[in-house]
Amino acid sequence: MRIALSLISAAAAVGFGTASAEVIHPHKISKGDAAGPIFSQPKVVKESHGANTTLDNIVMKSSDQKFESGMYKSGPSHFDATKRDYGVDEFMLFTSGSVTLTSLDGTVTKLEAGDAVILPAEWRGKWDTEGYTKYYVIYSRTGKGM
């Protein structure tokens, strides 16, 4: 018993079982925040592309910059990725609106609120929407995003 207590004390002295300098917590997006307030936070990135405005709340980015997750909101837009790859592996869960993805071979994938999709970085096609909101998780091999 005395030996076990000595080992525990020694481990504590060298840092085992003690809190590290930085405590890491989970990143939660509450149902209430996801309903809209998440896009009014100061860290939200707002961009305008012609008549379309997008809002991006990056909730978490990995230390190597290759993994990113958050919520994204867009108005009507068209994105053409027929001449170059999409660029990132992305999981998306749509909470409102809809998106139509048309792959190079003409296959159409219609996504609506409640639907999820995974786009490989090598995907090529067209993206059309009248607007949507989504949760997203992106993996970028280069760490540079899209």
Side-chain angles (χ1 to χ4, degrees):
M1 180 71 155
R2 191 172 282 175
I3 294 172
L5 288 175
S6 295
L7 288 174
I8 292 171
S9 296
V14 295
F16 295 107
T18 61
S20 64
E22 181 183 354
V23 176
I24 306 298
H25 296 107
H27 297 272
K28 178 181 177 179
I29 301 172
S30 72
K31 188 173 16 175
D33 281 345
I38 196 165
F39 295 112
S40 59
Q41 296 176 355
K43 68 179 187 166
V44 169
V45 176
K46 182 179 182 178
E47 293 183 354
S48 294
H49 310 274
N52 182 30
T53 298
T54 61
L55 302 172
D56 188 5
N57 188 327
I58 300 169
V59 175
M60 186 251 164
K61 196 160 200 160
S62 64
S63 58
D64 66 3
Q65 306 296 299
K66 292 182 178 184
F67 177 91
E68 177 181 310
S69 62
M71 285 196 76
Y72 188 86
K73 186 174 189 171
S74 176
S77 63
H78 170 78
F79 175 67
D80 188 336
T82 56
K83 294 181 177 42
R84 65 175 182 89
D85 291 349
Y86 187 63
V88 295
D89 296 303
E90 183 172 6
F91 169 82
M92 295 169 263
L93 174 61
F94 294 90
T95 61
S96 70
S98 65
V99 171
T100 301
L101 301 174
T102 306
S103 297
L104 277 181
D105 67 357
T107 302
V108 175
T109 304
K110 176 84 172 177
L111 303 157
E112 298 177 341
D115 290 338
V117 68
I118 301 164
L119 275 184
E122 300 79 15
W123 179 80
R124 289 188 180 198
K126 294 182 180 179
W127 171 299
D128 292 287
T129 182
E130 291 302 313
Y132 64 91
T133 303
K134 68 179 180 179
Y135 292 99
Y136 69 88
V137 176
I138 292 174
Y139 173 74
S140 169
R141 292 172 184 108
T142 64
K144 295 183 180 172
M146 291 179 54

